């Protein structure tokens, strides 16, 4: 082991001497072009690329929002910004600081399934959130709640103390709730809304705190004026 270290140190000294000699005789530009780049150029690029990736991932991790609660509003129409902000104001104090970071941040995914220009993309977004255990509260219009609320990833809403719909026990009719009625009043004709809750803990991959937050959020929505 000592012999190897002695050899390594000796070789390092010879390399350094060679570098210094080449720089003194031919200049730094010559050394970089004729010595460094042919031997170490590709390695340097690879190391630099790896360093950039590490820095970007670190920055992204530091700046990534830490949401306390995730919910979805999906319907065959757009939802105005003022109504979503009103809804956010209603549920924020009810949800509270779930992750304990001193802030309350709500991730509210608004999916307009009536947007013909982005129809395919928005349906893909809906399927994507269905597969993510962070999303525990869904508010959907009649058509989409009837389509999706009977799926196995939604639970009978009576389990959480809410009154289920007569036709589907996994959803609750919330059409008469003022804040949700205002959400749909710009839509021509009668608009119905239904709430559904996902409890991913039954599959062993959810967070009970997020399910409890969904219950608190829905109660706050029902009590809001």
């Amino acid at each position: 082991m000592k012999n190897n270290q002695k050899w390594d140190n000796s070789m390092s000294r010879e390399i350094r001497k060679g570098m210094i000699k080449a720089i003194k005789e031919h200049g730094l530009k010559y050394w970089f072009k004729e010595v460094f780049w042919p031997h170490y150029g590709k390695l340097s690029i690879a190391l630099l690329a790896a360093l950039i990736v590490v820095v970007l991932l670190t920055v992204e991790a530091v700046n990534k929002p830490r949401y306390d609660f995730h919910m979805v509003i999906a319907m065959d129409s757009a939802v105005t910004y003022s109504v979503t902000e009103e809804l956010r104001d209603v549920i924020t104090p009810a949800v509270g600081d779930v992750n304990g970071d001193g802030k309350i941040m709500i991730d509210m995914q608004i999916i307009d399934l009536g947007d013909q220009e982005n129809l395919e993309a928005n349906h893909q977004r809906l399927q994507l959130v269905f597969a993510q255990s962070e999303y525990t509260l869904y508010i959907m219009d009649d058509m989409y709640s009837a389509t999706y609320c009977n799926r196995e990833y939604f639970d009978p809403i009576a389990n959480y103390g809410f009154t289920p719909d007569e036709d589907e026990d996994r959803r609750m009719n919330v059409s008469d709730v003022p804040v949700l009625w205002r959400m749909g009043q710009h839509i021509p004709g009668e608009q119905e809304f239904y709430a559904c809750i996902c409890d991913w803990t039954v599959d062993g991959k959810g967070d009970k705190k997020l399910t409890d937050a969904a219950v608190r959020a829905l109660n706050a929505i029902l009590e809001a004026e």
Side-chain angles (χ1 to χ4, degrees):
M1 183 67 178
K2 290 183 178 180
N3 290 336
N4 288 340
Q5 289 179 342
K6 187 175 181 180
W7 182 82
D8 288 341
N9 293 334
S10 176
M11 288 294 294
S12 297
R13 284 195 297 270
E14 290 300 320
I15 291 172
R16 286 197 298 271
K17 286 180 180 179
M19 289 170 53
I20 295 170
K21 183 179 179 181
I23 292 172
K24 285 182 176 179
E25 292 181 357
H26 304 286
L28 184 61
K29 184 177 180 180
Y30 171 86
W31 170 82
F32 181 82
K33 182 178 179 181
E34 302 296 333
V35 180
F36 176 82
W37 190 252
H39 292 89
Y40 307 106
K42 291 182 178 179
L43 177 61
S44 299
I45 291 174
L47 291 175
L48 180 60
L51 179 61
I52 290 173
V53 170
V54 170
V55 170
L56 290 176
L57 290 176
T58 302
V59 170
E60 182 181 359
V62 170
N63 294 327
K64 185 178 181 181
R66 293 185 60 203
Y67 292 109
D68 296 277
F69 180 60
H70 307 257
M71 67 175 291
V72 177
I73 298 175
M75 63 182 63
D76 197 12
S77 178
V79 180
T80 63
Y81 175 79
S82 61
V83 172
T84 57
E85 286 307 293
E86 181 183 0
L87 189 60
R88 193 186 302 274
D89 290 341
V90 166
I91 66 176
T92 295
V95 166
D97 183 12
V98 175
N99 58 31
D101 65 353
K103 297 180 291 185
I104 305 175
M105 297 185 66
I106 308 296
D107 172 23
M108 190 179 298
Q109 294 289 325
I110 312 297
I111 304 178
D112 179 3
L113 298 164
D115 180 1
Q116 293 302 312
E117 292 184 2
N118 301 289
L119 186 62
E120 183 177 353
N122 285 338
H123 274 276
Q124 289 176 351
R125 279 182 61 203
L126 184 59
Q127 296 303 321
L128 180 62
V129 295
F130 279 148
Q132 298 183 57
S133 60
E134 292 87 358
Y135 293 91
T136 51
L137 177 61
Y138 288 76
I139 295 175
M140 295 182 277
D141 61 19
D142 185 24
M143 179 173 66
Y144 287 101
S145 63
T147 302
Y148 293 110
C149 280
N150 60 358
R151 306 279 176 101
E152 65 277 2
Y153 35 74
F154 288 106
D155 302 285
I157 204 157
N159 292 355
Y160 308 100
F162 300 109
T163 304
D165 179 54
E166 293 181 357
D167 300 324
E168 173 53 64
D169 67 353
R170 298 172 190 263
R171 70 178 187 174
M172 175 187 187
N173 192 322
V174 290
S175 305
D176 294 333
V177 176
V179 65
L180 298 183
W181 177 83
R182 287 193 289 275
M183 183 169 67
Q185 80 177 68
H186 65 286
I187 302 170
E190 187 176 344
Q191 182 78 3
E192 291 190 334
F193 300 100
Y194 293 84
C196 309
I197 290 179
C198 278
D199 184 357
W200 290 94
T201 59
V202 297
D203 293 334
K205 58 182 180 180
D207 186 341
K208 187 64 165 58
K209 291 181 180 179
L210 295 179
T211 307
D212 293 343
V215 175
R216 294 197 302 273
L218 183 52
N219 273 316
I221 291 170
L222 296 177
E223 293 170 3
E225 297 181 355

